[in-house]
Amino acid sequence: MLEILIATNNLGKVKEIKDILDSPEIKILTMKDFPHLPKIEEDGKTYQENAFKKARKISEYTGKICLADDSGLEIDYLKGKPGIYSSRWGSNDEERINKVLKLLENVPINKRNAKFVCVAILVFPDGKIYTVKEECKGSIEFKPKGEHGFGYDPIFLVPEYDKTFAELGDKIKNQISHRGKAMRRMINIINELAASEKT
Ligand code: IMP
């Protein structure tokens, strides 16, 4: 059984990642299992840097295999912003959503394209690392819709469904989202590692 610690305090992410990594080969640990972990500043210039920093620091500290993701919303009209600053664009989700909607006020639907990007990194205590990057394309709604998910989900419209992530709910979101795709690639890597551990 591989023990993997998810290196994030974001409960929305923990829930999504747990659902996706649900496997008899893996025991998932969360930061709640380690109450005295140091706070990690996400001050990198790329998703990669931030994810690696989180996973490596927490792995060094706990001696566990750590999985971290860094993700963000990139809006074409805002030249890719908020991007790596997505979680710091306001003090709560409502503020962040309102900021996006204000900046896109009167911007027509054909100029509201956006994508979510996710980089996931698995770091082993011996320094071995595995990285995957995935994205999910969509556009920015004119007003928040739906009750599920977290972060910018209520304003991220998925064209194939004509619904926001927050309307689609966890099951469908995980099938198509940036994090869902990245985590499914990661689980293939983890399963191969778990299988090779047995031999
Ligand atoms: P970080 O990866 O912890 O730096 O946070 C990324 C931020 O991007 C989150 O706090 C959300 O604001 C946003 N974000 C990333 N993934 C999603 C998602 O699936 N739905 C909504 N917002 C997201």
Side-chain angles (χ1 to χ4, degrees):
M1 168 90 67
L2 272 184
E3 281 191 337
I4 295 181
L5 170 57
I6 307 177
T8 180
N9 284 313
N10 181 325
L11 296 179
K13 283 188 181 180
V14 170
K15 184 179 180 310
E16 283 186 12
I17 295 172
K18 269 187 158 173
D19 283 351
I20 299 161
L21 293 188
D22 185 24
S23 153
E25 310 283 358
I26 304 171
K27 181 173 178 205
I28 296 288
L29 306 171
T30 67
M31 310 260 276
K32 279 205 192 124
D33 298 311
F34 300 87
H36 303 295
L37 291 173
K39 188 165 167 20
I40 294 159
E41 207 64 55
E42 291 190 23
D43 52 5
K45 291 193 178 58
T46 61
Y47 300 110
Q48 179 94 14
E49 263 181 67
N50 281 333
F52 179 62
K53 188 175 175 192
K54 284 185 267 191
R56 194 199 52 201
K57 279 253 161 92
I58 304 287
S59 179
E60 273 173 8
Y61 200 84
T62 60
K64 300 286 176 195
I65 304 169
C66 280
L67 174 64
D69 92 306
D70 199 58
S71 46
L73 176 64
E74 298 185 357
I75 301 173
D76 288 2
Y77 188 79
L78 304 179
K79 302 190 171 68
K81 292 244 159 48
I84 58 163
Y85 305 104
S86 295
S87 59
R88 291 164 273 169
W89 243 38
S91 49
N92 57 48
D93 285 342
E94 196 186 342
E95 251 182 60
R96 290 185 269 267
I97 284 177
N98 286 336
K99 185 166 173 179
V100 170
L101 292 179
K102 186 111 192 63
L103 288 167
L104 266 67
E105 215 170 11
N106 301 322
V107 174
I109 183 74
N110 61 339
K111 291 196 175 145
R112 299 175 78 93
N113 289 347
K115 66 181 176 191
F116 271 120
V117 179
C118 173
V119 171
I121 299 198
L122 190 66
V123 171
F124 285 68
D126 66 5
K128 226 179 348 191
I129 64 166
Y130 297 85
T131 307
V132 297
K133 182 175 184 184
E134 287 289 345
E135 53 185 57
C136 176
K137 291 197 166 124
S139 66
I140 302 299
E141 250 297 0
F142 289 88
K143 57 178 200 268
K145 287 183 182 164
E147 304 296 327
H148 303 281
F150 71 97
Y152 300 92
D153 281 350
I155 54 167
F156 188 76
L157 188 77
V158 185
E160 293 82 357
Y161 290 87
D162 196 27
K163 284 194 170 137
T164 66
F165 265 169
E167 289 177 298
L168 287 172
D170 294 349
K171 198 156 172 249
I172 296 179
K173 179 184 172 188
N174 286 345
Q175 283 168 15
I176 57 177
S177 79
H178 50 312
R179 190 168 308 96
K181 289 191 261 184
M183 291 303 155
R184 273 192 299 280
R185 280 178 59 196
M186 210 40 117
I187 200 171
N188 289 337
I189 294 172
I190 293 168
N191 283 336
E192 275 173 28
L193 293 170
S196 68
E197 240 194 15
K198 275 191 201 156
T199 55

